[in-house]
Amino acid sequence: MDWQPIWLTFRLATITSVILLGLAMPLAYWLAFGKFKGRGIIEAIIGMPLVLPPSVIGFYLLLAFSPSYWFGSWIESMFGLRLVFSFPGLVIASILYSLPFMVYPLRAGLQSLPASLREASYTLGKSKWETFYKILLPNCKPAILTAFVLTFAHTVGEFGVVLMIGGNIPGVTKVASVAIYNEVEALNYSAANLYAMVLFAITFVILLMVYSVNNRLLSVRQSS
Amino acid sequence: MEVSIQVPWQNILAITGPSGAGKTTLLKQIAGLMLPQSGKITFGSKTWLDSSAKKQLPVQQRNIGFVFQDYALFPHLTVRENLLFALPDSKDSDLADELLAATDLVQLASRKPFQLSGGQQQRVALARALVRKPDLLLLDEPLSALDFTMRKDLQDLLLQFHRRFQFTMIIVTHDVAEIFRMADKVAVMENGKMIQHGTPPEIYLNDAGDTNDLILYAEVLTSEIQNGEIRVRALVQGKIRELRLPVHFVQTLVPGTTFAFRYALNTAGVQIIDGNRPG
């Protein structure tokens, strides 16, 4: 069996989740506590990947990334980077596609903390930034873990977007879900089954670990 | 909200009134955690807020201590770490350790807040608010969740700290006994307005000059309604007494609450003094 698609899948999911965690934290904080107009528009845009068919997102990203259009050609001339049918393109597409899976749990986690925790920190002379990373983040570990795992799992399960903008290049864009599809197309069911089984098993083990850790985090807090 | 009040340096002001009167909002506006529609707040020679000049000093620069109703201890930090976090320079931990000793928390210093009782959590919150040596200490119903003895111990502790650190103090409370014990002045609020302001006897006694009357504090042990009146068994001056009171006080006289009452020596009559129902 060719392990490359599996390896590629988990590399893509890890890179996407790590970058998204960094991007989503300030965004989640801003959505949770910011006072600004047009919040509804921002929320609607972030939530789009939840409801749109992946092929629609993939199609527009394909147009955007293509060097025949202005954004793709600008990226190419600016950074020498071609985003269609490439791994960096897959990472950017996955980040957009999985954004709500990271932002929403983080925002919910931040909002579930009592307002008095933030206020107490302010009255103790601490800035918003210090309050955020020393008080708020350590107290929403379960939400951070949930957000990370949801994003990771969602990226592992990605198919439509990858197929549209990544295609099927072995070692570059051929992830496990695409490989399964290829094997089924070729009526090669036993190979498809192997890929599927491996994905199934690894995903189950990851979720199992995460929920055990999460339950422990929560039970520590509730045992008072 | 319409409030205008001056608190003399190092005095203790109590704010009282029914729920929803705006007491907590007022306290948070003084702290700088909430912004009033318009108004002016000055502390000493400093202007904290002047909405007409669009001036506003951030809460971080007001040098206040704030004790929250829910204590707001940081759950992921130990008792000692909660105090150290509050210090401007965490190396300067002498005062933190001194306060841990004064609040009898040395044994519990490495515990997390959820491992503490309510009274212990309240002491941590108080120590944490004092570790920055605030000029103004604001307390939002800090003792309401505690039982009678614990409340009294904490009142003593607060008064002791007040004498030692010499800060000005504003305390939101429903407890009339607490107001009499602690406050120089009391402000009564209703519907976002201050309706009365004066010394506790001025507010709670119709004829404060009558020296034949005794003001006593009682903690309700049991209460039952009999023949159109409430029979309250209460702890008064360390002894259990039975008082007969009009039935409309039934809401306020549930077991565990404290109340202040006036005992008229000449007529042997009893009159309840209560924040929500003066006279």
Side-chain angles (χ1 to χ4, degrees):
Chain A
M1 183 179 129
D2 179 11
W3 284 90
Q4 206 169 43
I6 304 271
W7 159 241
L8 194 67
T9 300
F10 285 98
R11 195 156 73 104
L12 176 67
T14 307
I15 293 174
T16 302
S17 307
V18 169
I19 295 177
L20 249 185
L21 188 64
L23 288 177
M25 271 182 188
L27 195 59
Y29 178 86
W30 187 55
L31 285 174
F33 307 124
K35 294 186 183 88
F36 55 93
K37 281 182 186 167
R39 175 196 296 268
I41 296 173
I42 306 280
E43 282 177 320
I45 291 172
I46 292 172
M48 287 291 266
L50 286 174
V51 287
L52 271 185
S55 50
V56 173
I57 299 171
F59 174 64
Y60 284 119
L61 285 176
L62 182 65
L63 293 188
F65 289 175
S66 160
S68 344
Y69 295 90
W70 71 266
F71 181 74
S73 67
W74 177 74
I75 290 278
E76 197 162 331
S77 63
M78 205 63 186
F79 304 102
L81 201 66
R82 179 165 289 199
L83 293 179
V84 275
F85 308 118
S86 73
F87 188 73
L90 275 195
V91 171
I92 294 178
S94 302
I95 286 172
L96 292 172
Y97 182 51
S98 293
L99 189 61
F101 290 85
M102 188 65 94
V103 172
Y104 287 164
L106 284 180
R107 182 182 66 170
L110 287 170
Q111 279 176 333
S112 71
L113 297 173
S116 62
L117 282 189
R118 265 188 308 144
E119 294 174 336
S121 176
Y122 296 159
T123 63
L124 298 171
K126 307 301 171 190
S127 66
K128 283 189 175 177
W129 167 242
E130 203 174 348
T131 301
F132 178 60
Y133 80 89
K134 284 195 179 161
I135 299 299
L136 300 184
L137 285 188
N139 282 306
C140 49
K141 278 184 205 147
I144 295 172
L145 199 61
T146 306
F148 192 89
V149 169
L150 278 178
T151 307
F152 190 91
H154 188 237
T155 313
V156 168
E158 207 175 307
F159 177 72
V161 176
V162 178
L163 204 62
M164 291 295 272
I165 66 148
N168 189 9
I169 308 166
V172 180
T173 61
K174 186 173 152 187
V175 296
S177 57
V178 176
I180 293 171
Y181 181 73
N182 284 342
E183 300 297 352
V184 171
E185 284 261 274
L187 298 178
N188 203 350
Y189 280 24
S190 65
N193 187 32
L194 258 181
Y195 281 127
M197 289 275 275
V198 170
L199 272 194
F200 193 95
I202 295 177
T203 317
F204 178 73
V205 169
I206 291 175
L207 283 181
L208 189 67
M209 283 187 336
V210 162
Y211 285 115
S212 331
V213 172
N214 229 353
N215 285 339
R216 226 183 51 223
L217 285 177
L218 287 173
S219 68
V220 165
R221 208 192 288 180
Q222 282 162 1
S223 60
S224 52
Chain B
M1 184 102 127
E2 277 178 50
V3 175
S4 171
I5 195 164
Q6 275 199 337
V7 186
W9 188 246
Q10 291 173 14
N11 261 26
I12 300 178
L13 171 76
I15 301 175
T16 192
S19 321
K23 306 183 293 290
T24 299
T25 306
L26 177 65
L27 212 60
K28 288 194 170 175
Q29 287 175 347
I30 296 170
L33 293 167
M34 285 171 89
L35 195 63
Q37 278 180 343
S38 67
K40 195 171 175 183
I41 302 171
T42 57
F43 188 85
S45 58
K46 287 184 215 140
T47 300
W48 281 2
L49 176 87
D50 188 348
S51 56
S52 61
K54 300 217 157 145
K55 213 185 137 188
Q56 190 200 346
L57 194 71
V59 45
Q60 286 91 346
Q61 292 170 29
R62 293 191 186 189
N63 196 26
I64 50 163
F66 200 115
V67 178
F68 291 82
Q69 211 170 352
D70 64 354
Y71 315 137
L73 299 179
F74 306 127
H76 64 301
L77 301 178
T78 64
V79 167
R80 190 161 184 275
E81 285 165 348
N82 262 279
L83 266 67
L84 292 184
F85 177 79
L87 285 171
D89 179 3
S90 62
K91 289 187 201 89
D92 182 26
S93 59
D94 288 355
L95 182 60
D97 290 323
E98 204 187 320
L99 279 164
L100 283 177
T103 46
D104 204 12
L105 288 167
V106 176
Q107 304 286 323
L108 307 170
S110 54
R111 298 247 184 116
K112 293 278 178 68
F114 71 83
Q115 296 168 303
L116 304 179
S117 72
Q120 290 164 343
Q121 290 189 33
Q122 189 53 275
R123 296 208 300 270
V124 180
L126 184 58
R128 189 182 65 179
L130 291 175
V131 85
R132 295 169 55 79
K133 293 187 189 157
D135 298 319
L136 173 65
L137 184 65
L138 303 162
L139 305 107
D140 188 8
E141 297 194 40
L143 312 176
S144 57
L146 305 178
D147 67 39
F148 178 66
T149 24
M150 221 183 260
R151 212 180 305 166
K152 198 174 161 299
D153 289 348
L154 268 157
Q155 286 165 1
D156 289 339
L157 196 62
L158 256 176
L159 288 171
Q160 186 190 319
F161 283 137
H162 178 253
R163 272 194 298 275
R164 189 170 146 206
F165 293 107
Q166 303 187 323
F167 44 79
T168 308
M169 188 160 122
I170 302 180
I171 180 167
V172 169
T173 176
H174 283 294
D175 184 343
V176 182
E178 190 166 292
I179 293 172
F180 270 86
R181 283 200 73 200
M182 304 192 63
D184 297 302
K185 289 276 183 73
V186 54
V188 184
M189 288 187 68
E190 210 174 282
N191 295 322
K193 285 183 183 152
M194 190 175 77
I195 53 166
Q196 277 178 297
H197 178 220
T199 62
E202 276 168 10
I203 300 297
Y204 292 109
L205 307 178
N206 296 333
D207 38 358
D210 190 346
T211 48
N212 280 332
D213 294 354
L214 287 175
I215 303 295
L216 297 170
Y217 312 110
E219 184 195 5
V220 181
L221 301 171
T222 61
S223 68
E224 55 179 341
I225 300 176
Q226 253 181 28
N227 306 330
E229 59 181 12
I230 324 173
R231 288 187 177 198
V232 179
R233 284 227 172 105
L235 204 58
V236 184
Q237 305 272 302
K239 289 193 175 151
I240 295 172
R241 306 277 184 193
E242 193 172 276
L243 304 170
R244 294 166 186 222
L245 300 161
V247 77
H248 65 266
F249 284 110
V250 73
Q251 293 284 343
T252 45
L253 297 178
V254 291
T257 53
T258 41
F259 63 97
F261 64 96
R262 188 163 63 144
Y263 185 79
L265 291 177
N266 46 359
T267 59
V270 166
Q271 183 188 10
I272 282 216
I273 304 157
D274 178 83
N276 299 333
R277 298 167 198 265

